[in-house]
Amino acid sequence: MTEQGGPEVLRLVDLPDPQPGPGQILIRVEAAAVNFSDVMRRRGDDYPVPTPSPFVPGAEVSGTVVALGENVDGPAVGTSVFAMVGADASGGYAELAVAFAPNVIPIPPGLEPDAAAGIVVAGLAATLILTETVGIEEGHSVFIPAAAGGVGGYAVQIAKLLGAGNVIAGASTEAKRKIALGFGADHAVDYSDPNWVKTVRDLTGGTGVDVALEMSGGDRLAQTLGLLAPFGRLVVFGSVSGVPGRLDENALLPWLYDPAPNQSVVGFNLGPWFELRLPAAVAALHRLIEWVGSGQVRVPVSRAFPLAEAAEAHRLLESGATTGKLVLKP
């Protein structure tokens, strides 16, 4: 893309083949994950790192190693791998992409390339949120929005795996709620219903949830805050509406001071984990891979599009009409 805007700014063009520099690996892409962060950068939403122009979106791929840069001794040429690509999580929507060697992992047996392409951003985000950011404990009640999607689909399964006693999924259609229940959610609610907050609280016996996730922005932030039990924790990991979350001052002051229910709100961003807490991020990723390899966690179903249809994949993801992960196939 050479400008930011709607899906139509994504165009299929020919570019020179990238070459791996020192410490880098060149990958022939089999599948590139479509993440909502790609949509945000395409639209020009607020984002933690700059989006220069021209820009090739795509933070994660699966494929085959075709060349090693200087001072790189593996994975060997011909190895099937998945990776975070680019110096700024970009370059994946392409036939060839470059990744730094520590961000390249051989695909374990039993994991299909299309599924592997989408495991890092969605799967690792869900893993870190639930194991490190909040630390799910036995018997916790948890609310998970967009529970038929990428992060949500992983989060439902991981919460149950960690011992959560009451996982309540949010999804906007009956079909998506069935998918969330299939992932193991104890309940699924229509969070487009005006009374959805009361419905969730009723499912906890009126006490509220111990942990809630939020990724919509706008008024949904305040609504989700209203789900929390005393000592509850809210993790904000996105703003898919493009509107920052809002908290009314009149509601915020009692929350802080009277009766001060000891609740907390945390903003989650995957990038700093790789920059500042890499050992923890790598350990969490390997834990996730073990869960997937053992069948304890299922990768949310992927839908594949030709690379030339990247704009259509963005339209569908942005509309909320999709479930699971979307991938592009060069």
Side-chain angles (χ1 to χ4, degrees):
M1 63 189 211
T2 55
E3 60 180 326
Q4 291 173 306
E8 67 278 358
V9 302
L10 295 174
R11 296 182 296 113
L12 188 68
V13 300
D14 288 321
L15 297 174
D17 289 352
Q19 300 299 321
Q24 295 181 329
I25 293 175
L26 182 65
I27 299 169
R28 184 169 301 282
V29 178
E30 180 166 344
V34 180
N35 291 300
F36 212 91
S37 56
D38 303 334
V39 173
M40 294 176 69
R41 300 181 82 172
R42 189 211 75 221
R43 294 190 309 203
D45 295 354
D46 287 336
Y47 197 74
V49 296
T51 301
S53 182
F55 184 76
V56 178
E60 55 179 339
V61 305
S62 65
T64 305
V65 174
V66 293
L68 305 178
E70 185 180 347
N71 301 322
V72 178
D73 57 9
V77 171
T79 303
S80 295
V81 296
F82 63 99
M84 294 286 288
V85 295
D88 60 350
S90 68
Y93 291 10
E95 294 173 312
L96 295 168
V98 169
F100 286 97
N103 296 336
V104 180
I105 300 174
I107 297 177
L111 184 60
E112 294 296 325
D114 285 10
I119 201 172
V120 176
V121 170
L124 183 56
T127 302
L128 286 170
I129 287 170
L130 296 176
T131 62
E132 299 288 336
T133 304
V134 295
I136 294 295
E137 297 176 7
E138 193 79 24
H140 267 167
S141 55
V142 184
F143 173 75
I144 297 170
V151 177
Y154 279 110
V156 168
Q157 298 176 79
I158 293 170
K160 294 300 293 185
L161 191 59
L162 295 173
N166 186 9
V167 174
I168 303 171
S172 58
T173 69
E174 182 64 28
K176 290 182 179 181
R177 292 191 286 276
K178 287 182 179 179
I179 291 172
L181 292 170
F183 283 136
D186 297 287
H187 305 281
V189 302
D190 179 2
Y191 63 179
S192 65
D193 186 299
N195 296 315
W196 75 276
V197 172
K198 181 180 184 303
T199 300
V200 172
R201 293 192 68 92
D202 287 347
L203 290 170
T204 67
T207 61
V209 298
D210 300 298
V211 174
L213 277 54
E214 205 291 298
M215 39 69 75
S216 296
D219 294 331
R220 188 64 61 83
L221 175 60
Q223 294 168 354
T224 307
L225 184 62
L227 300 177
L228 294 184
F231 298 93
R233 287 158 292 171
L234 169 60
V235 182
V236 179
F237 65 97
S239 180
V240 300
S241 68
V243 179
R246 295 186 289 258
L247 288 175
D248 180 77
E249 181 179 297
N250 293 327
L252 186 59
L253 290 177
W255 175 68
L256 289 172
Y257 301 109
D258 181 18
N262 299 288
Q263 297 164 341
S264 58
V265 178
V266 181
F268 176 86
N269 179 12
L270 187 60
W273 285 90
F274 286 98
E275 297 168 14
L276 304 174
R277 296 192 175 182
L278 182 60
V282 172
L285 180 57
H286 283 286
R287 189 178 187 184
L288 172 63
I289 292 170
E290 289 177 5
W291 285 336
V292 171
S294 67
Q296 293 174 284
V297 171
R298 289 184 290 123
V299 177
V301 176
S302 297
R303 178 177 175 184
F305 295 80
L307 182 62
E309 296 180 13
E312 178 61 18
H314 271 229
R315 287 188 188 95
L316 288 172
L317 182 61
E318 201 168 4
S319 72
T322 61
T323 60
K325 290 296 297 182
L326 306 183
V327 297
L328 301 176
K329 304 282 286 184

